[in-house]
Amino acid sequence: MLVGGWASHLLVERFAASELTRQQNTVKRQANIFAQLAEKELLAADKLAVALSQDTAIINHQRTMNEYASRFADMTFGERKAFLEANPTAASANDLVTRLLQNLDLMSLFVLDASGNCIATAYTQIDGEAQPVGCLGENYQSREYFSQARLNGSGHQFAVGKRVPLPSLFFSYASYANGEFLGAAVVRLDAPNLLSQLPLSTTRTWITDRNGMVISSTTPSDVMQQLGARLYAPVSEAILEATYRLDQHRQVALVEDLHYPEDWDVWQLESERLFIASAPIGQLELTVWHSASIANFLQLYHRSGILALTVLVLGVLLILIVERVIDAHQRRMTHLRALADAHQSLEQVSSRLLNIAISDNLTQLSSRVYFFQRLEEEIARVHRESEQLVLLQLDIDNFKIINDTHGHPAGDEVIRTMAAICREQTRKADLLGRVGGEEFAIGLIECRINTAQTIAQNICDACANKAVEYEGKVLHFTCSIGLAELQPKQNIGELIRQADKALYVAKEAGRNCVRVSGVDTD
Ligand SMILES: Nc1nc2c(ncn2[C@@H]2O[C@H](COP(=O)(O)OP(=O)(O)OP(=O)(O)O)[C@@H](O)[C@H]2O)c(=O)[nH]1
């Protein structure tokens, strides 16, 4: 679960970071576009303000009105308005700015005197009546664009206020005559109009001045509800914090429970969860704010959570399957090893049994069974290849007496000696077997009867001449041998009978001698 939580957290961070980057990029793009549009308008507005400030009619009017400055101070707004409307210099100034307003796409144009009083304004036709678009008689000395113009010759201000029906961009340019400040010409642009030119999505975007005051928004009602309010002092801290987080790209900026003044009931942000990103428009000292609902992100979040969980479950399943496969493989390997061990043991036992079956324990010659099996095979081969084979049947003479006289173990020693002599007198290819207690047989391969007879005689002599030492005693023994040469088409039974017959003849002849079948037996 820990791994799942961690994986889910990682995924969420990834989604959040990419979503935040997307929002940030959007707002940066919008800020750039807005800056370009606004700068173009600013330039035009500046030029217009400069031109107005240099117009003779305006300058004359400002001079005239400045003379009434002390009287204006004591007049009410209505009195000032009536006075100005009746003034002839105001008429020509009003006429000029009205014409300019009609030719240019501006919200309003007006002229201020040195005290900030609006002394001329453009008029526009509303319901057939000429209505002033600026507040003739109003005092604007507290406005930034006016105080800046008084100090520097020109000034900008982005403002919304109770007296300003729409958020606006104000540009002023000071009028001077002989170094004397006469007042300012003011151009006012339509900020929402600028904003409406941005390629905005359905998300909310708004623009504040450097004090956090909203001057425009993609939702006009938002702005209208906030007119005159320095609204963002408490909010901007939350936003700045959120923005800081965004910049860090470490955490989702969830702006919740923003504290708006109670009367801003149109702002229903309390229930919203927003991504908020910002981008400054440095030269204009404006900031574009951009918010997007967290809903989309939450969908992603949930989907990523499910994805992470699925990955986790699949991962666990995979681990279980792999474990089972490894386990099965290990058990199979153990099983196979056990089988291999058993097989090896069986082979050893089988080899031992075979050895027991084919060899005589006392002499290590072939056993009776194995000897006759081998002899039969050799007879078949010799018949096939038209070779010669001679069978010798050997029997130790009076062996019973040796046993009876010197004991069984001494007899065994004689048998072993007899076997050794047989081995010495024959070739490796010949077949040697102990076929009875004291009986031996030899199959001489590729051997003619004369040679066989010599070999048999040599064995006979070797036995007779051999002194067997056993437990300090010296024993002597002899043997009798019967020979039979394999005849064409003769089978093993017939061959053995012939050799036995010759052996019988040797025994009858007094033992310790060799007799040949067909020669001595007929
Ligand atoms: N020591 C010993 N004696 C054996 C073995 N196998 C058989 N014998 C003995 O060999 C003797 C064979 O005796 P017989 O068959 O009478 O033959 P023989 O005494 O050799 O007399 P002939 O063959 O007629 O010369 C018996 O006493 C058997 O007990 C053996 O492995 N070891």
Side-chain angles (χ1 to χ4, degrees), residues 200-221:
L200 296 169
S201 60
T202 51
T203 53
R204 178 182 288 154
T205 298
W206 63 98
I207 297 172
T208 63
D209 70 5
R210 65 167 178 262
N211 300 314
M213 180 184 284
V214 169
I215 63 161
S216 194
S217 165
T218 45
T219 313
S221 60

Side-chain angles (χ1 to χ4, degrees), residues 72 74-86 136-138:
F72 275 166
D74 298 329
M75 286 183 189
T76 63
F77 171 67
E79 287 168 343
R80 274 203 303 269
K81 194 171 176 229
F83 179 85
L84 287 163
E85 281 172 346
L136 200 60
E138 176 69 273

Side-chain angles (χ1 to χ4, degrees), residues 43-95:
L43 203 65
D46 268 350
K47 278 185 183 160
L48 193 63
V50 170
L52 275 175
S53 70
Q54 291 166 357
D55 186 272
T56 321
I58 301 293
I59 291 170
N60 279 342
H61 182 50
Q62 283 173 320
R63 263 204 193 117
T64 310
M65 290 305 117
N66 281 335
E67 288 166 16
Y68 292 100
S70 55
R71 286 178 58 190
F72 275 166
D74 298 329
M75 286 183 189
T76 63
F77 171 67
E79 287 168 343
R80 274 203 303 269
K81 194 171 176 229
F83 179 85
L84 287 163
E85 281 172 346
N87 191 282
T89 55
S92 63
N94 287 340
D95 186 49

Side-chain angles (χ1 to χ4, degrees), residues 395-396 398-400 403 408 412 434 437-438 507 511:
D395 190 293
I396 301 171
N398 299 315
F399 190 62
K400 187 173 183 315
N403 268 342
H408 216 265
D412 282 356
R434 185 182 171 213
E438 85 294 13
K507 290 277 181 186
R511 297 183 172 81

Side-chain angles (χ1 to χ4, degrees), residues 91-113:
S92 63
N94 287 340
D95 186 49
L96 175 64
V97 291
T98 301
R99 271 187 288 118
L100 280 172
L101 184 77
Q102 282 159 1
N103 292 337
L104 303 168
D105 191 17
L106 301 169
M107 282 183 78
S108 64
L109 269 174
F110 51 93
V111 178
L112 308 178
D113 67 9

